[in-house]
Amino acid sequence: MYVCICNALKDRELADAANDARNVAEVFRRCGRRPQCGKCLPDVAQIIEDRRALDNPAPLAAE
Ligand code: FES
């Protein structure tokens, strides 16, 4: 699915670039692109958060 229409970037490509990325700018840089309209930036930020959550799962609550 396309997330960034301006740069024709799909969710999968962004998720790969988001691995250990510090911010949205770094994700775009890794993809060799620059944000243009900015409408996708919240979605890219969410992809970074999702990657972090996968890499650092929250501990299960104690019973
Ligand atoms: S949709 Fe990503 S910069 Fe426009």
Side-chain angles (χ1 to χ4, degrees):
M1 174 180 84
Y2 285 101
V3 174
C4 178
I5 303 304
C6 296
N7 288 297
L9 291 170
K10 293 182 178 179
D11 52 350
R12 231 181 142 85
E13 184 176 1
L14 288 164
D16 288 345
N19 196 29
D20 293 329
R22 286 171 293 176
N23 52 44
V24 171
E26 187 172 348
V27 173
F28 274 90
R29 195 167 36 252
R30 289 178 179 179
C31 292
R33 310 279 193 352
R34 291 179 148 184
Q36 296 184 30
C37 76
K39 287 184 180 172
C40 65
L41 299 184
D43 295 327
V44 177
Q46 185 63 54
I47 289 170
I48 294 171
E49 288 302 314
D50 291 347
R51 289 301 300 217
R52 285 185 185 146
L54 283 175
D55 293 341
N56 302 301
L60 296 174
E63 292 183 7

